[in-house]
Amino acid sequence: MKKIAEEDFLVLRGPFESGRQSPSSLASAFFGIILIQALFLWLEHFASEESNFPLYRSVFVNHLWFSIILTVLMIIYMIPSVYMRSQKIQYLLTIIVSQNIGGVSTYILALLVIASTFTSDLNTLMFIIKTTLLGGVLVFVITWIRFMILLKKGHYRKGSTKDQLRQKFETKSLLPFATAVGVPIVLVMVPLLRLVQPGNIEELFFTCLFLFVFYTMLFILPEQIVILYCKYRFDSFNFETNGWLKPVRDQEGKPVSTHDLIYANQFNNEGVKK
């Protein structure tokens, strides 16, 4: 990614420009994240009482301690004097805690529901675990490769189509995600459907829901990693101590306006078409 210029990443600067992912906003979100994580840990403990998931106790204890450590770090990074000096670490912490809730917790809950409702056979459970984890690797790899291709083609420049349609529904952009998520879910559902009883439809729904959230978090992980990379590489992805986002600068160190970048990108695109 060192060969890709700063202007090719600037669409990813949008959450910082809007203030949605400013250090103060992330610090405020940590409070809600702590409560949600506590809820999910309680659900893991509650679901485990009727589950036959092997080695669950050790998995839960390790996840509990890991979440406690993250909670302590979130409390520390809710202090303005701390997060303004360590914005990059705060964003890294944000990635970890979001993946811990949306990825790890939901995946554990899905396995607990499967083990308590559908099957306690170790071989079947191991097949499901291997399939779902392989599906997770597939989602991440496909998304990462696609992300790098779009970056190199300039789709994340200001004024690009990606910039204009970022907040809108894009069928083509969701196609790789739908394919990558659908394959592992279908493979998991094949053995489960044979075990489903009429009264287990609700459990099947929650299993699919938890797995869907798990894959969704892996789908957005590449973008989170690239944004973190931008915060380390480019000063314009960070904030001043007064809370203002630092400007994009040219090679001479002079601030460059967003309108100039959009105009330059549109001009280049028209030149390429001609």
Side-chain angles (χ1 to χ4, degrees), residues 50-269:
E50 299 182 2
S51 176
N52 296 315
F53 185 70
L55 300 177
Y56 169 75
R57 181 53 51 185
S58 61
V59 171
F60 175 74
V61 170
N62 289 328
H63 187 221
L64 176 63
W65 279 109
F66 180 69
S67 300
I68 290 174
I69 293 172
L70 291 180
T71 299
V72 173
L73 291 174
M74 281 190 284
I75 293 174
I76 293 174
Y77 276 89
M78 290 170 65
I79 303 173
S81 59
V82 175
Y83 65 66
M84 290 308 299
R85 291 199 306 266
S86 306
Q87 299 176 34
K88 304 177 185 67
I89 302 299
Q90 186 200 40
Y91 193 80
L92 173 60
L93 179 62
T94 302
I95 296 175
I96 296 174
V97 297
S98 63
Q99 292 293 329
N100 187 48
I101 295 176
V104 179
S105 288
T106 55
Y107 183 72
I108 292 175
L109 286 170
L111 293 180
L112 289 174
V113 174
I114 291 172
S116 62
T117 306
F118 302 109
T119 180
S120 59
D121 180 67
L122 182 59
N123 292 329
T124 304
L125 288 174
M126 291 306 299
F127 168 78
I128 292 173
I129 292 173
K130 291 178 182 179
T131 303
T132 50
L133 291 181
L134 180 61
V137 173
L138 180 65
V139 170
F140 179 81
V141 171
I142 291 177
T143 309
W144 180 266
I145 293 174
R146 173 180 169 275
F147 202 92
M148 291 298 103
I149 293 174
L150 292 177
L151 274 174
K152 291 180 179 180
K153 288 184 177 181
H155 285 255
Y156 286 89
R157 294 179 181 178
K158 282 292 184 181
S160 64
T161 303
K162 196 70 173 177
D163 185 20
Q164 299 170 6
L165 301 178
R166 186 168 171 78
Q167 301 300 326
K168 296 181 180 180
F169 180 81
E170 297 179 88
T171 304
K172 292 183 179 180
S173 67
L174 293 177
L175 183 59
F177 170 63
T179 303
V181 171
V183 171
I185 287 183
V186 168
L187 291 176
V188 173
M189 290 304 106
V190 169
L192 288 185
L193 286 174
R194 299 173 182 173
L195 304 170
V196 172
Q197 302 296 327
N200 297 143
I201 300 299
E202 183 177 345
E203 287 79 0
L204 181 64
F205 168 77
F206 280 106
T207 300
C208 294
L209 178 62
F210 289 141
L211 289 176
F212 180 80
V213 175
F214 168 67
Y215 291 126
T216 300
M217 295 306 299
L218 289 174
F219 180 72
I220 68 175
L221 181 57
E223 180 171 315
Q224 291 179 318
I225 294 174
V226 173
I227 292 177
L228 178 64
Y229 167 81
C230 291
K231 287 185 74 68
Y232 275 95
R233 180 179 171 188
F234 306 118
D235 201 42
S236 60
F237 279 75
N238 296 285
F239 290 76
E240 303 282 1
T241 54
N242 59 7
W244 289 94
L245 183 63
K246 295 182 179 180
V248 181
R249 300 182 182 274
D250 57 20
Q251 295 180 349
E252 299 178 355
K254 298 179 180 179
V256 181
S257 68
T258 303
H259 295 291
D260 292 339
L261 293 170
I262 294 175
Y263 175 78
N265 187 53
Q266 291 175 343
F267 179 80
N268 292 334
N269 289 338

Side-chain angles (χ1 to χ4, degrees), residues 16-72:
F16 302 120
E17 294 174 339
S18 65
R20 287 184 291 108
Q21 292 189 14
S22 65
S24 59
S25 297
L26 294 179
S28 300
F30 282 164
F31 179 76
I33 291 174
I34 292 173
L35 297 179
I36 295 173
Q37 182 63 79
L39 173 62
F40 271 72
L41 289 171
W42 178 81
L43 288 174
E44 290 178 34
H45 176 71
F46 177 77
S48 67
E49 295 182 354
E50 299 182 2
S51 176
N52 296 315
F53 185 70
L55 300 177
Y56 169 75
R57 181 53 51 185
S58 61
V59 171
F60 175 74
V61 170
N62 289 328
H63 187 221
L64 176 63
W65 279 109
F66 180 69
S67 300
I68 290 174
I69 293 172
L70 291 180
T71 299
V72 173

